[in-house]
């Protein structure tokens, strides 16, 4: 109803935390022989940023077309010399919607997508940005918890189309030959599609996709969200699911989060969910940056999309939807392992929270749609 057709014959490999994610991505880049396309929100200074720049630069010097889209706001902390290095090597690097007086109306609309496609055959997507916060194995507060996904099969063409969406908006060019869209044979057994949304191309579609998935749930909903600021429609849909007997488990960041404002706004939305029986847990070891939705042990949605109005209505986002019980089981096990490192928030503890917290939640309420 809302997105591209579901493709068959895909293989999806979950990569947990930087120790698994970055080596796999860098290996794919270094092995590229035909083309590289890459889009991200966060690209900051640091060691991992230089490693990616070196890999892109080496392939560009070797004659491989390298196309990079960096969100202007998300890459503002990037070293200028790293950007210059890639461009001098021959990589085509563009900032998405840079600050211009004649584009001020679009300043609030960012690309939050995380897409890497190598040779048109291997795709990566998930929650990880290019910054040292994502290195390691989520072992302490300085190393975040996240999941990224390596994908092969026909759905990779939809990854490339998603990249093309913003490449066209940024440059006016279309990447449309076999270097970017080669024939893709089935390599696995998973049904999947890449679902994208943007304010300029149907900004409500991601919102509707989540609403439809929740409305379709008959047994269970497991949701891990780094930023959880749902609107009234989403809260009502989740409450309706609880009322028809659906088990709802929500995993959110605990003491470690990179936005105190989001934490305050999120907490104000828990009441109705807890009162109707939702299980809300707060991840303790480090910042939880995972974006994961599993419905009825069959449908899985992963990618860049947060469970807030900025992702669902303002940002350009990309989510991979997978329809497979075995993959859903794998993601449920990862979710439950994270639950073991979390603390339960009860209706009683939320109802009796300090007055100062309640006041701050009310002060933030008018700005919830921007968080």
């Amino acid at each position: 109803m809302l997105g591209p057709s579901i493709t068959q014959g895909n293989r999806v490999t979950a990569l947990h935390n930087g120790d698994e994610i970055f080596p796999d991505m860098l290996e794919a880049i270094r092995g590229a022989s035909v083309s590289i396309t890459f889009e991200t929100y966060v690209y900051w200074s640091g060691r991992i940023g230089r490693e990616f720049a070196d890999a892109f630069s080496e392939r560009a010097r070797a004659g491989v077309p390298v196309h990079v889209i960096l969100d202007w706001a998300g890459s503002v902390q990037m070293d200028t010399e790293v950007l210059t290095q890639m461009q001098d090597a021959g990589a085509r690097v563009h900032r998405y919607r840079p600050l211009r007086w004649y584009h001020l109306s679009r300043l609030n609309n960012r690309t939050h997508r995380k897409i890497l496609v190598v040779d048109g055959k291997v795709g990566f997507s998930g929650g990880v940005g290019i910054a040292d916060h994502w290195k390691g194995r989520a072992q302490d507060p300085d190393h975040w918890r996240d999941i990224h996904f390596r994908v092969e099969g026909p759905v990779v063409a939809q990854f490339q189309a998603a990249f093309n969406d913003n490449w066209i908006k940024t440059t006016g060019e279309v990447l449309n030959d076999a270097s970017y869209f080669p024939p893709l044979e089935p390599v696995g057994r998973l049904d999947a599609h890449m679902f994208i949304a943007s304010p300029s191309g149907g900004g409500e579609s991601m919102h509707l996709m989540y609403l439809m998935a929740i409305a379709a749930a008959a047994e269970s909903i497991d949701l891990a969200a780094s930023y959880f600021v749902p609107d009234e429609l989403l809260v009502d849909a989740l409450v309706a699911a609880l009322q028809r007997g659906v088990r709802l488990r929500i995993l959110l960041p605990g003491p470690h989060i990179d936005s105190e404002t989001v934490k305050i706004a999120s907490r104000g939305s828990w009441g109705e969910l807890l009162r109707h029986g939702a299980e809300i847990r707060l991840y303790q070891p480090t910042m939880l940056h995972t974006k994961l939705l599993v419905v009825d042990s069959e449908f899985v949605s992963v990618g860049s999309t947060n469970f807030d109005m900025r992702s669902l209505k303002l940002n350009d986002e990309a989510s991979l939807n997978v329809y497979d019980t075995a993959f859903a089981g794998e993601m449920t096990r990862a979710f439950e392992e994270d639950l073991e490192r979390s603390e339960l928030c009860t209706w009683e503890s939320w109802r009796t929270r300090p007055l100062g917290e309640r006041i701050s939640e009310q002060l933030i309420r008018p700005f919830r749609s921007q968080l």
Side-chain angles (χ1 to χ4, degrees), residues 328-341:
E330 178 187 348
M331 291 298 94
T332 299
R333 288 189 292 275
F335 179 83
E336 291 177 342
E337 288 177 5
D338 287 340
L339 287 183
E340 293 175 1
R341 302 179 180 93

Side-chain angles (χ1 to χ4, degrees), residues 54 58 154 165 194 219-220 260 263 279:
D54 289 345
E58 188 280 326
D165 177 54
M194 171 61 86
E219 298 176 1
S220 63
E260 191 66 25
K263 181 178 182 178
E279 178 183 329

Side-chain angles (χ1 to χ4, degrees), residues 10 21 27 68 76 82 98 118 124 129-130 170 199 219 245 247 253 285 346-347 351:
N10 302 288
I21 296 165
E27 181 182 8
V68 177
V76 73
V82 172
V118 175
F124 292 84
I130 307 303
T170 305
E219 298 176 1
R247 183 193 67 189
T346 66
W347 160 247
R351 188 181 65 82

